[in-house]
Amino acid sequence: MLEQVFDFSQGLGFDTVLLLVVLVALEAVLSADNAIALASISKTLDDGKLQRQALNIGLAIAFVFRIGLILTATWVIQFWQFELLGALYLLWLVFQYFTTSEDGEDEGFLHHHNTSLWQVIPAIAMTDLAFSLDSVTAAIGVSEKTWLVVTGATLGIITLRLMAGLFIRWLKEFTHLETAGYITVGLVGLKLLLRVIDHSLVPPEWMLVVAIVVLFTWGFSERTPIPETENVNLSNAIQPHPAESQREMEEARK
């Protein structure tokens, strides 16, 4: 189907534009779990301004890494050690997430608040680099034009920055979203690991896309309930103060 669209577009001169749209869409779909991981890492900073700075600086460094990966892709894919390191890093993130208690008593990085800005920035850059080992390989499979892949990666990282900013807020609103995101991170890590072991074991790309859609549908299925203390504060804010109520009643008797 996609090949037929490209064949038809060649006569109209739209093949490059269509390829670019495909690359950006591919980046967006494959970046959903990446965005959640980056948002989860960023929210360990308690200040919103620091979270934005961490994402901006971290993704700027990540963009340089991506360009370097694209320019050396034909060399990098010859060494399975890179994909193994990327797989192990992503699986470590997942392991750390699921083994860290919600109260933050464990020493896991993902739930450890009050981390410094310069701890979070390299974590963001390294996480995106690990994901790029998968997305860049897929992008090169769509087009061999380096400038087109670089353009797609540029638009993709801008999309990733916007998505990560949204996910920081959504992680607080939806109960299962962070867990769904880290399950998909685990799927990407397993995919890279299977590629190292035996490329024939890697499932088709559409299966991963379907799994991401299903998991994110579940992730957005339930909103986080408002804590009881907030409800009490809200009711107190609505109800008049007892002294004011008594004063109004006395004035009404007069």
Side-chain angles (χ1 to χ4, degrees), residues 28-251:
V29 172
L30 296 178
S31 293
D33 46 3
N34 188 0
I36 281 194
L38 299 185
S40 182
I41 293 172
S42 299
K43 74 183 182 70
T44 59
L45 295 167
D46 294 328
D47 184 77
K49 182 179 180 181
L50 290 179
Q51 291 173 358
R52 292 188 292 272
Q53 288 180 353
L55 284 173
N56 291 337
I57 299 174
L59 287 178
I61 298 172
F63 176 70
V64 176
F65 286 164
R66 280 198 189 196
I67 300 301
L69 186 59
I70 291 171
L71 297 177
T72 60
T74 55
W75 174 77
V76 170
I77 59 177
Q78 298 176 11
F79 297 92
W80 56 268
Q81 291 88 347
F82 288 108
E83 290 187 339
L84 178 61
L85 289 174
L88 293 178
Y89 179 78
L90 293 179
L91 293 175
W92 172 77
L93 286 179
V94 177
F95 173 80
Q96 193 180 42
Y97 171 75
F98 283 105
T99 57
T100 302
S101 61
E102 294 184 358
D103 56 11
E105 292 180 356
D106 295 340
E107 296 180 355
F109 175 79
L110 295 176
H111 285 177
H112 181 64
H113 284 255
N114 298 319
T115 53
S116 71
L117 178 67
W118 301 108
Q119 285 178 295
V120 173
I121 287 175
I124 289 175
M126 292 303 298
T127 300
D128 183 76
L129 178 61
F131 274 99
S132 296
L133 290 171
D134 179 55
S135 61
V136 169
T137 302
I140 292 175
V142 173
S143 175
E144 295 181 353
K145 298 179 180 179
T146 301
W147 71 267
L148 194 59
V149 178
V150 170
T151 304
T154 303
L155 296 176
I157 208 156
I158 294 173
T159 303
L160 178 61
R161 170 62 183 87
L162 297 174
M163 291 174 63
L166 289 173
F167 275 121
I168 288 178
R169 186 177 74 239
W170 288 341
L171 289 178
K172 300 177 182 178
E173 295 183 12
F174 296 95
T175 306
H176 307 300
L177 184 57
E178 191 168 13
T179 300
Y182 273 98
I183 294 175
T184 60
V185 172
L187 292 179
V188 175
L190 287 175
K191 177 184 174 183
L192 289 174
L193 189 60
L194 289 175
R195 191 183 294 170
V196 172
I197 297 172
D198 187 349
H199 200 279
S200 63
L201 297 175
V202 179
E205 198 67 41
W206 66 266
M207 290 184 64
L208 181 61
V209 173
V210 170
I212 290 175
V213 171
V214 172
L215 286 167
F216 275 76
T217 301
W218 170 66
F220 284 104
S221 64
E222 182 180 348
R223 288 186 177 273
T224 304
I226 300 175
E228 190 65 28
T229 54
E230 293 187 14
N231 287 328
V232 173
N233 292 335
L234 182 61
S235 62
N236 289 338
I238 296 175
Q239 294 179 359
H241 192 274
E244 294 179 357
S245 300
Q246 186 176 0
R247 191 181 307 114
E248 290 177 357
M249 290 177 63
E250 292 177 353
E251 291 177 357

